[in-house]
């Protein structure tokens, strides 16, 4: 007969990932690489927004992009063609989010080229990407007008982990019952510190403000 | 597919514990799941059963026991606690929205049952 022993663990499943994410944050800080984790629903205009942002920032910063998707490389190709910056595609193999370890592998695959700013385009999903710390310096999410101004109420965790909420597709606001003031109120209910910037990625309206926000964050991060 | 990712994380943690404590055979693992943790116990169990079949070490074919952590929210205005699942983010006592979750979003490995060969 074997002896049976109960081992008390009491450990959160996220504990390892959180530690790993902190380690990655330190490694990136030492390399001088600012990691921005970009999250949103599918179809909110992440890739279009990125192209606009990169073209505005690439003269002052060395930028790389990691595209995470369940499958295909259409986004990575689009970014590469439209901006020319170093881009890699990560496949999550059916997983709905990226964790710190997958992000580290992605960073490794970017190679030794100098990168001031690495943008991680997370899987299009408002649920699990919010739960797993990727090791990023900032979290940014895009909420597009057709999704509705009540999204912060439906996905509170996502909004509570974001430093910046970009409201995209404001050109179609008149066709949807989207109330920007209500949206701001709901975001701040869950996260009083979140900044909110309205944009239209298609026309470029407001992109300047997001680019300024990113430059400012990088400056503060370098001095911290 | 969210549960599968959580199961992989869980297995990673337990394999580390098995290494630390030199466990050779794990009979079962008890995991506590918060009511508002976004993990559905039924799916978690299914993913677990599939994943431990592929394990080669101590966790191979280990059983899973799931326990629920009740979700409780605290109201900052009237300073009372209430059941999250029933009332959500709006306090049933005073109608305030200034509330925060006290407990219920956790996914915790509670304990591991391992067997050791009887020596002597």
């Amino acid at each position: 007969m074997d002896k049976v022993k109960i081992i008390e663990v009491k450990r959160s499943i996220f504990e390892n990932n959180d530690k790993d994410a902190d380690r990655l944050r330190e490694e990136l800080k030492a390399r001088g690489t600012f990691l921005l984790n970009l999250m949103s629903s599918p179809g909110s205009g992440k890739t279009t927004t990125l192209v606009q942002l990169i073209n505005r920032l690439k003269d002052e910063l060395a930028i790389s992009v990691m595209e995470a998707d369940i499958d295909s490389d259409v986004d990575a190709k689009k970014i590469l063609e439209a901006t020319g910056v170093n881009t890699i595609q990560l496949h999550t193999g059916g997983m709905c989010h990226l964790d710190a370890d997958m992000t580290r592998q992605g960073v490794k695959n970017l190679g030794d080229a100098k990168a001031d700013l690495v943008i991680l385009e997370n899987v299009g999903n408002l649920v699990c990407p919010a739960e797993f710390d990727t090791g990023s310096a900032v979290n940014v999410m895009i909420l597009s007008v057709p999704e509705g101004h009540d999204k912060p109420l439906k996905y509170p965790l996502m909004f509570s982990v974001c430093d910046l909420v970009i409201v995209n597709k404001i050109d179609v606001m008149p066709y949807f019952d989207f109330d920007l003031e209500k949206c701001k109120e709901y975001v701040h209910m869950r996260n009083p510190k979140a900044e909110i910037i309205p944009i239209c990625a298609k026309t470029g309206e407001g992109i300047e403000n997001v680019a300024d926000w990113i430059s400012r964050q990088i400056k503060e991060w370098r001095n911290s | 597919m969210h549960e599968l990712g959580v199961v992989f994380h869980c297995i990673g943690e337990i394999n580390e514990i098995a290494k630390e404590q030199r466990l050779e055979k794990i009979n079962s693992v008890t995991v506590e799941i918060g009511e508002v943790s976004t993990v559905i116990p039924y799916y978690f169990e299914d993913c677990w059963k599939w994943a431990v079949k592929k394990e080669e070490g101590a966790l191979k074919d280990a059983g899973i026991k799931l326990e629920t952590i009740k979700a409780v929210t605290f109201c900052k205005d009237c300073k009372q606690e209430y059941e999250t699942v029933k009332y959500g983010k709006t306090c049933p006592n005073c109608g305030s929205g200034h509330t925060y979750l006290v407990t219920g979003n956790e996914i915790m490995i509670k304990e591991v049952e391992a067997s050791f060969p009887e020596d002597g």
Side-chain angles (χ1 to χ4, degrees), chain A residues 14-200:
Chain A
F14 301 117
E15 201 178 288
N16 246 0
N17 185 61
D18 288 350
K19 276 191 213 149
D20 201 19
D22 284 338
R23 269 198 302 276
L24 182 60
R25 235 187 309 276
E26 276 168 30
E27 288 162 24
L28 290 171
K29 181 85 202 246
R31 273 176 57 165
T33 299
F34 184 90
L35 178 65
L36 184 151
N37 177 24
L38 183 64
M39 301 176 280
S40 85
S41 310
S44 65
K46 276 199 299 289
T47 309
T48 311
T49 306
L50 268 187
V51 167
Q52 289 267 17
L53 272 173
I54 292 166
N55 283 334
R56 219 158 281 226
L57 289 166
K58 68 180 177 190
D59 290 337
E60 44 174 303
L61 298 166
I63 304 176
S64 291
V65 177
M66 301 193 286
E67 282 289 330
D69 275 304
I70 287 175
D71 207 344
S72 98
D73 58 358
V74 284
D75 282 352
K77 275 196 184 131
K78 210 189 287 173
I79 299 256
L80 185 63
E81 274 165 25
T83 68
V85 301
N86 188 15
T87 307
I88 58 160
Q89 179 77 51
L90 302 175
H91 281 163
T92 59
M95 296 267 257
C96 47
H97 62 266
L98 276 180
D99 59 21
D101 189 49
M102 289 188 255
T103 309
R104 174 177 281 112
Q105 288 171 28
V107 170
K108 218 178 267 167
N109 283 328
L110 283 173
D112 291 329
K114 179 178 180 297
D116 301 313
L117 171 64
V118 171
I119 301 172
L120 170 64
E121 189 178 330
N122 214 313
V123 183
N125 175 351
L126 293 184
V127 187
C128 356
E131 287 183 274
F132 290 87
D133 190 343
T134 56
S136 63
V138 289
N139 289 321
V140 175
M141 73 114 17
I142 302 177
L143 168 65
S144 64
V145 162
E147 295 170 61
H149 58 252
D150 53 1
K151 269 277 150 78
L153 299 179
K154 296 184 192 168
Y155 301 90
L157 185 65
M158 173 55 74
F159 288 86
S160 66
V161 300
C162 276
D163 303 287
L164 172 66
V165 175
I166 298 171
V167 179
N168 190 20
K169 306 188 188 178
I170 52 167
D171 55 326
V172 294
M173 205 129 64
Y175 305 100
F176 294 88
D177 290 326
F178 190 95
D179 186 333
L180 187 59
E181 287 314 307
K182 269 251 140 50
C183 177
K184 287 181 182 170
E185 184 192 323
Y186 293 154
V187 170
H188 287 141
M189 224 159 99
R190 297 295 154 230
N191 183 356
K193 281 189 240 152
E195 288 197 48
I196 299 163
I197 301 178
I199 66 160
C200 173

Side-chain angles (χ1 to χ4, degrees), chain A residues 3 5 7 9 11 16 190, chain B residues 13 109-110 112 114 116:
Chain A
K3 265 192 285 189
K5 199 169 122 190
I7 296 142
V9 181
R11 199 189 282 186
N16 246 0
R190 297 295 154 230
Chain B
E13 292 269 332
I109 301 164
K110 187 187 178 191
V112 170
F116 295 82

